[in-house]
Amino acid sequence: RPKNNTQHQVTYLTKVQINKLLRATDSNPSKVMAMRDRTIISLALATALRVSALVNINIEDIDFDNNVINVIEKRQKVRTIPFGTQTSQMLKDWIAIRNEAFEDADTHALFVSQKKGRISVDSVGDLLAKYCDEAGIQRITPHRLRATAACMLAKNDIPVKAIAKQLGHNNITTTMRYIDVFNEDMEKTKNILDNLVWWQKITRRCEKINVVNDDDKIGVRLMGQDLYILKKDINISNISDKMIILADYIMQITIIVN
């Protein structure tokens, strides 16, 4: 069977979506389960762990003296994952609640199911789907949380080798998928910001611009090129002949270039 060489498309959550997802956990009628689920999501984002490693964490795997978690990942590889002070406090708070709510649970699992056993990978997927629906965002898989953590590191200019180490990648080519996502985003950002400079030039040369103003559109003729916006797309009664208003509205309207 031929291999599919199509590159895996990396998608990730925005900060707004993350906040919505975390707030959605408050919809759980059980405060204990809400805190458990919020901790699962937050720890996945804070460590970039695979969900299989996340659900297999035992309480004794967490070293609060050094702020690290010892995890077993694919191919039984043991890794030491660091975490920060905010994550440390979050874990301590959860463990205190967990030990009280599940004191009779016959498991050392950090995350316990309602049946008082270790939570499963499928259960994490189900709770994510539920909270995505509650938050009004597109459903995600647990792996999307790992991808989001990786992309956030890339966005903040963390060296690719450091990201690869955090993710447990042996091949740095795999890590480059997350870097490439932001190279594309930065190209789009560059062009958007560059257009702002272009429009500043237009407004500074207002006296030399010929205004085009007819029944259905308004625009300018600059260096032989006509640039228009449709009047129906802007909600103003009087248009300045100097076209300053066009620059003010440029981020909210569509430009039609003839």
Side-chain angles (χ1 to χ4, degrees):
R1 186 177 178 178
K3 291 184 178 180
N4 183 356
N5 292 322
T6 302
Q7 187 175 13
H8 176 67
Q9 180 65 39
V10 175
T11 55
Y12 59 95
L13 296 177
T14 65
K15 288 183 178 180
V16 171
Q17 290 172 324
I18 291 170
N19 289 333
K20 286 182 177 180
L21 185 62
L22 290 172
R23 285 199 303 269
T25 60
D26 291 332
S27 65
N28 195 315
S30 168
K31 290 185 178 181
V32 172
M33 292 296 101
M35 186 174 184
R36 181 204 65 182
D37 297 347
R38 191 160 49 249
T39 306
I40 288 173
I41 296 169
S42 297
L43 187 61
L45 291 168
T47 60
L49 279 172
R50 295 179 177 89
V51 65
S52 57
L54 195 75
V55 300
N56 280 307
I57 296 173
N58 291 329
I59 293 176
E60 60 268 25
D61 294 332
I62 305 173
D63 178 357
F64 285 108
D65 291 333
N66 297 298
N67 276 8
V68 295
I69 306 174
N70 298 306
V71 300
I72 300 176
E73 292 201 315
K74 291 197 305 184
R75 302 179 185 86
Q76 298 301 300
K77 182 171 66 174
V78 179
R79 292 207 300 135
T80 300
I81 309 297
F83 56 84
T85 55
Q86 299 297 326
T87 302
S88 175
Q89 189 58 55
M90 175 190 69
L91 288 171
K92 288 176 182 177
D93 291 343
W94 163 242
I95 290 172
I97 296 295
R98 176 244 186 256
N99 289 342
E100 181 179 346
F102 300 101
E103 59 181 349
D104 57 343
D106 187 22
T107 178
H108 292 265
L110 175 63
F111 299 116
V112 183
S113 70
Q114 290 180 320
K115 296 180 179 179
K116 300 185 178 180
R118 186 183 300 276
I119 194 171
S120 68
V121 169
D122 287 343
S123 294
V124 174
D126 290 342
L127 69 87
L128 274 177
K130 178 181 70 174
Y131 292 131
C132 284
D133 290 346
E134 183 69 28
I137 62 178
Q138 184 178 359
R139 287 189 175 189
I140 64 169
T141 63
H143 186 76
R144 184 76 65 85
L145 298 177
R146 175 174 162 85
T148 297
C151 287
M152 289 300 173
L153 293 175
K155 188 176 182 179
N156 284 278
D157 295 326
I158 302 301
V160 64
K161 287 185 178 180
I163 299 175
K165 184 176 181 180
Q166 182 71 36
L167 297 174
H169 288 163
N170 293 323
N171 189 343
I172 208 166
T173 304
T174 308
T175 314
M176 285 303 300
R177 290 183 302 162
Y178 304 104
I179 307 297
D180 291 342
V181 168
F182 280 95
N183 286 341
E184 293 173 4
D185 286 352
M186 289 304 293
E187 182 67 20
K188 294 176 184 177
T189 302
K190 178 194 73 175
N191 291 336
I192 290 171
L193 295 178
D194 194 51
N195 284 340
L196 293 179
V197 175
W198 183 69
W199 278 101
Q200 287 174 17
K201 288 181 179 178
I202 286 182
T203 57
R204 286 200 303 269
R205 297 174 63 180
C206 283
E207 298 296 340
K208 300 179 181 179
I209 291 175
N210 296 317
V211 175
V212 178
N213 188 0
D214 59 25
D215 292 339
D216 62 344
K217 60 189 175 184
I218 185 166
V220 297
R221 184 169 293 115
L222 178 64
M223 295 181 290
Q225 188 177 34
D226 291 339
L227 304 173
Y228 298 117
I229 56 175
L230 300 180
K231 287 185 177 179
K232 66 182 181 61
D233 290 335
I234 52 177
N235 185 25
I236 46 176
S237 56
N238 296 316
I239 305 293
S240 168
D241 287 342
K242 292 179 182 287
M243 296 302 294
I244 299 297
I245 196 69
L246 185 61
D248 292 338
Y249 276 81
I250 192 60
M251 299 306 291
Q252 304 173 39
I253 58 178
T254 301
I255 304 174
I256 303 172
V257 179
N258 293 338

